Amino acid sequence: MWRYVFRRLGQIPIVLVVVTITIFIVVRSTPGDPIQIMLGMQTSPDAVAAIRHEFRFDQPLYRQYLLWLWDVVHGDLGRSVRLNQSVVSLLTERFPVSFRLALAAMVFAVLVSIPLGIISALRRNTWVDYLCTGVTLIGFSIPNFALALVLIFVLSVKLQLLPITGIGATSSSLWASIAPYVLPSLALGMLQVAVLTRLLRSSMIDVLSQDYIRTARAKGLMPSTVLVVHALKNALIPFVTMIAIQFGYLIGIQVTIEYTFAIPGMGTAILNAVVNRDFPVIQGFTLVIASFFLLTNILADILYSVLDPRIRY
Amino acid sequence: MTSPLLTVNNLRTSFRSDRGTVRAVDGVSFTLNRGEILGLVGESGSGKSMTAMSIMRLIPEPPGSVEADELRFDGIDLLALSERQMLDVRAARIAMIFQDPMRSLNPVLSVGRQLTETLRRHLALDGAAARRRAIELLEMVGIPMAKSRLGAYPHEFSGGMRQRVMIAIALSCNPSLLIADEATTALDVTVQAQIVDLIKTLVKDIGASVIWISHDLGLVANLCDRVNVMYAGRIVESGPIRDVFYRPSHGYTLGLMSCTPRIDLVGERLRPIEGLPPDLSRPMTLCPFLPRCAHSVDRCRTERPALIEEQPAHWASCFADLTGSWRQTT
Ligand SMILES: Nc1ncnc2c1ncn2[C@@H]1O[C@H](COP(=O)(O)OP(=O)(O)OP(=O)(O)O)[C@@H](O)[C@H]1O
Ligand SMILES: [Mg+2]
């Protein structure tokens, strides 16, 4: 088990090198010069050259990469071209916001999908099931920014229940610090609701038809015991694994939601970095998002083997 | 004579489906005496498992529906029980063992857990007492180092050992009736014999009656006192082993026997008879076996035979006189 985890952890650097080399090449081979964009056209060529030198943009690509890698290994992700800030400090500002938002979205998705998945499996092919299918279809088909606009309109503008913005602002009460997360996490988590409900429904249907469920019933166990101990314990194995995988994925896809709700998270930072060709920020953030995704995947594997005694790595 | 342990009278189990109503069990009647081992044979789809599941009231309704004129177990009218009351009958009074021991045990729960949950549920044993009893039970079914095996998961056991665990679970609350649905079919022959011996000894010890569902005619002949032969959801022949297997009175039973070279050989499976069983969603007015029967007479084509007592305690629903086809060995 631990040997397997260490082996998987050992693979991470290799994947990250491949990812970052790709990003390195892609961002530099698309048109647009970060320094030029920042300083405008009137600046003297000497000033531009000086700054290019400072950011090593005058060096050959492979040297730039190797130097960057050397710095990364020493905990330095460079400085933003645009912002007067190191990439690490930008990350420490932005990552917690995105992490909390992803967490809130996932908690919402899990809380909704567990009852929906179970009920639709138990009441399969009844109107309850069709209703759940309808909800998941909405989750799959509405783009999250559209859902965000609907939520803003209904819950904030009309009913005045929740604030639209406010994440990152200093707040007085607990509710005031939680409230701004509600709408974005609903909008962001809806797709996960759909994914997780469908998954739980199908794995629950599969489990309920298994012979060991018939055995459990033949033992005269309480229906709740059969459902929770015998069925759910099996059905949750793929479900929990999926939560871990989806969580890693959620960190990287918040751009539209952050933009809609003016959230100072990683998504808006990346968006600005791309617009301004802020290479160090793009690279640093990509590295962190990719690492996070890889780590949650390993976590998913660990969870799988913890939950299913048949799996031993 | 004491009253029978189980009386099944005109049991009808059907499933509503798109193709119409499938009559999986279509008027089955039999009795089971205390201490008796009753065989239930018939080809695949003949309704053996559905009969067992109906007695346990484990048929999901809907799509299923279970009706009977009488379903009486040890003086209890099973059909009159609420689902909640039925929970107290299952495993405590009527226990079941299924075919595939790998798939019948929950893969994510330890064997000890699967044993003790039954004990805690029915015998109200607390944790420590349930554990002690579970160890006793595992020792009783011949699992070595039982104490250290409590925490093991089903996949860590061999097929035969898993079936021993299933037997331990089934007999843990000293049931009066054990239904074994192809309990040894998935095991290889040597293990099969051990498991059969084990069940035979244990049910004798606790004084349980057994319904033994099997494809293995030789095994049924060796193990059972009486046998019911099922075809298309009905019992077509019923009686003591010697009568039914050596002097069959139904064309289907005779067909089964002539497909089986030696009945005294354990491990002899049912061989297929030419043709297919009828579609159970169609109403039947004649003998369901008629299209495949090699011994039909004119009367078979005009009316349906009823199950009648042809010899004392030997029932069959067949118009043909099969005495000429009996084996010379008897
Ligand atoms: N849920 C269901 N819906 C429709 N028909 C069903 C359903 N369950 C069982 N049946 C039908 O009931 C009939 C009897 O099945 P049963 O499982 O009792 O056969 P069996 O004698 O145990 O066969 P086998 O030897 O293969 O175990 C089958 O023809 C099957 O098609
Ligand atoms: Mg069966």
Side-chain angles (χ1 to χ4, degrees):
Chain A
M1 172 77 199
W2 291 114
R3 275 184 48 197
Y4 171 80
V5 172
F6 284 128
R7 210 174 64 230
R8 285 290 305 271
L9 287 172
Q11 290 165 353
I12 287 188
I14 301 166
V15 179
L16 289 179
V17 164
V18 174
V19 169
T20 49
I21 288 179
T22 311
I23 282 290
F24 220 83
I25 295 171
V26 169
V27 294
R28 280 170 176 71
S29 54
T30 44
D33 182 324
I35 315 295
Q36 209 74 65
I37 292 172
M38 178 173 67
L39 299 178
M41 286 304 165
Q42 299 94 324
T43 326
S44 75
D46 286 354
V48 172
I51 298 176
R52 289 181 64 85
H53 181 72
E54 188 193 326
F55 282 98
R56 302 183 195 133
F57 295 156
D58 55 348
Q59 305 206 19
L61 203 57
Y62 77 92
R63 252 191 88 88
Q64 285 186 41
Y65 182 76
L66 290 176
L67 287 170
W68 178 79
L69 203 58
W70 179 255
D71 287 344
V72 169
V73 175
H74 292 85
D76 178 9
L77 292 174
R79 289 187 71 79
S80 161
V81 175
R82 187 77 178 191
L83 311 161
N84 186 23
Q85 199 176 12
S86 75
V87 176
V88 171
S89 99
L90 186 61
L91 268 169
T92 44
E93 252 174 57
R94 299 302 181 98
F95 184 82
V97 172
S98 291
F99 184 85
R100 280 197 291 266
L101 182 54
L103 194 65
M106 200 38 104
V107 168
F108 159 67
V110 169
L111 290 181
V112 174
S113 62
I114 287 185
L116 284 192
I118 293 176
I119 290 172
S120 55
L122 290 179
R123 299 267 173 274
R124 187 174 162 197
N125 298 332
T126 64
W127 66 269
V128 185
D129 184 21
Y130 298 142
L131 193 71
C132 293
T133 307
V135 171
T136 60
L137 271 179
I138 292 173
F140 276 124
S141 50
I142 291 195
N144 57 21
F145 70 87
L147 184 64
L149 294 179
V150 172
L151 290 172
I152 289 173
F153 182 73
V154 177
L155 295 175
S156 293
V157 178
K158 285 287 163 198
L159 300 175
Q160 309 243 325
L161 288 175
L162 292 158
I164 302 173
T165 58
I167 289 182
T170 45
S171 48
S172 45
S173 69
L174 182 64
W175 171 242
S177 58
I178 291 176
Y181 280 96
V182 176
L183 289 184
S185 59
L186 293 188
L188 187 63
M190 199 56 199
L191 177 62
Q192 316 307 318
V193 168
V195 171
L196 292 175
T197 303
R198 296 315 285 172
L199 178 71
L200 186 59
R201 177 185 183 272
S202 65
S203 68
M204 198 69 187
I205 286 174
D206 175 54
V207 166
L208 286 173
S209 71
Q210 295 293 317
D211 289 357
Y212 54 78
I213 296 300
R214 185 184 57 188
T215 307
R217 292 201 175 111
K219 283 154 86 173
L221 301 176
M222 291 296 167
S224 55
T225 311
V226 175
L227 183 70
V228 176
V229 177
H230 286 263
L232 207 52
K233 194 152 187 225
N234 281 281
L236 282 182
I237 295 171
F239 184 83
V240 170
T241 312
M242 186 59 117
I243 290 175
I245 292 171
Q246 291 285 323
F247 188 63
Y249 174 71
L250 267 182
I251 283 282
I253 59 154
Q254 301 176 3
V255 181
T256 45
I257 293 296
E258 287 182 16
Y259 208 73
T260 312
F261 291 98
I263 298 168
M266 292 206 294
T268 38
I270 290 185
L271 191 65
N272 289 331
V274 169
V275 171
N276 295 317
R277 330 294 303 156
D278 197 340
F279 298 161
V281 173
I282 299 176
Q283 282 151 211
F285 275 57
T286 310
L287 181 71
V288 167
I289 290 174
S291 312
F292 192 76
F293 185 76
L294 293 170
L295 284 173
T296 51
N297 268 278
I298 295 177
L299 179 69
D301 280 350
I302 296 174
L303 282 173
Y304 205 104
S305 81
V306 168
L307 293 171
D308 191 336
R310 288 165 297 184
I311 309 291
R312 284 286 170 266
Y313 298 116
Chain B
M1 195 183 149
T2 54
S3 64
L5 178 69
L6 178 71
T7 308
V8 179
N9 195 353
N10 197 15
L11 176 68
R12 302 173 303 272
T13 303
S14 52
F15 293 92
R16 215 178 278 267
S17 73
D18 306 334
R19 299 184 298 113
T21 305
V22 178
R23 270 182 283 273
V25 180
D26 189 14
V28 159
S29 305
F30 65 92
T31 58
L32 174 69
N33 296 319
R34 285 164 206 276
E36 187 178 38
I37 302 185
L38 175 69
L40 196 54
V41 301
E43 65 192 348
S44 202
S46 57
K48 306 181 298 293
S49 298
M50 291 304 127
T51 303
M53 299 291 276
S54 304
I55 295 168
M56 290 289 271
R57 295 228 350 235
L58 282 174
I59 304 275
E61 303 180 57
S65 134
V66 180
E67 294 170 70
D69 294 351
E70 190 179 8
L71 190 56
R72 188 169 294 279
F73 167 77
D74 205 9
I76 312 165
D77 179 1
L78 291 182
L79 288 179
L81 295 186
S82 66
E83 175 58 26
R84 179 65 189 76
Q85 290 170 312
M86 197 62 213
L87 292 181
D88 293 333
V89 172
R90 294 186 193 126
R93 308 297 319 280
I94 309 178
M96 225 173 149
I97 308 176
F98 301 98
Q99 172 170 350
D100 190 338
M102 182 63 230
R103 302 195 308 164
S104 303
L105 288 169
N106 196 321
V108 304
L109 298 177
S110 72
V111 157
R113 166 77 199 243
Q114 297 187 57
L115 257 168
T116 51
E117 70 179 348
T118 322
L119 298 167
R120 286 206 309 267
R121 165 75 183 84
H122 293 291
L123 306 181
L125 295 183
D126 66 20
R131 263 182 66 87
R132 270 199 306 279
R133 177 83 182 118
I135 295 168
E136 274 172 33
L137 285 162
L138 289 181
E139 279 166 356
M140 178 186 87
V141 296
I143 289 182
M145 298 183 299
K147 193 169 183 177
S148 64
R149 300 295 269 161
L150 274 189
Y153 290 89
H155 71 275
E156 299 171 62
F157 289 79
S158 69
M161 285 297 159
R162 274 180 225 137
Q163 198 61 305
R164 285 172 194 264
V165 172
M166 278 299 291
I167 294 168
I169 293 173
L171 299 181
S172 61
C173 306
N174 289 331
S176 323
L177 171 58
L178 175 69
I179 303 178
D181 191 350
E182 320 221 11
T184 59
T185 309
L187 306 173
D188 60 48
V189 181
T190 43
V191 181
Q192 246 181 42
Q194 295 165 4
I195 297 291
V196 170
D197 282 343
L198 179 69
I199 293 178
K200 214 167 156 175
T201 318
L202 293 178
V203 295
K204 203 166 200 159
D205 289 348
I206 65 172
S209 306
V210 180
I211 297 179
W212 186 270
I213 298 174
S214 182
H215 278 141
D216 186 336
L217 293 184
L219 180 56
V220 168
N222 276 321
L223 181 70
C224 302
D225 306 307
R226 284 190 305 135
V227 63
N228 288 335
V229 182
M230 284 192 75
Y231 187 77
R234 294 189 173 214
I235 293 180
V236 294
E237 182 159 5
S238 162
I241 293 291
R242 291 224 121 241
D243 292 353
V244 174
F245 283 173
Y246 292 96
R247 289 183 287 280
S249 296
H250 193 284
Y252 176 61
T253 319
L254 184 68
L256 285 183
M257 302 312 298
S258 45
C259 290
T260 306
R262 285 190 49 203
I263 193 68
D264 51 341
L265 207 68
V266 175
E268 204 57 63
R269 298 291 178 83
L270 285 189
R271 303 276 182 75
I273 303 171
E274 287 276 309
L276 290 172
D279 181 353
L280 297 175
S281 60
R282 296 249 185 85
M284 271 175 278
T285 48
L286 299 175
C287 172
F289 188 61
L290 178 62
R292 302 165 73 185
C293 187
H295 305 275
S296 58
V297 295
D298 288 344
R299 202 175 161 200
C300 298
R301 276 169 274 275
T302 55
E303 58 182 301
R304 182 169 189 164
L307 190 65
I308 55 165
E309 193 166 13
E310 305 213 333
Q311 304 287 319
H314 183 179
W315 298 68
S317 59
C318 188
F319 292 130
D321 177 11
L322 302 174
T323 43
S325 312
W326 289 347
R327 291 193 184 191
Q328 300 311 305
T329 49
T330 51

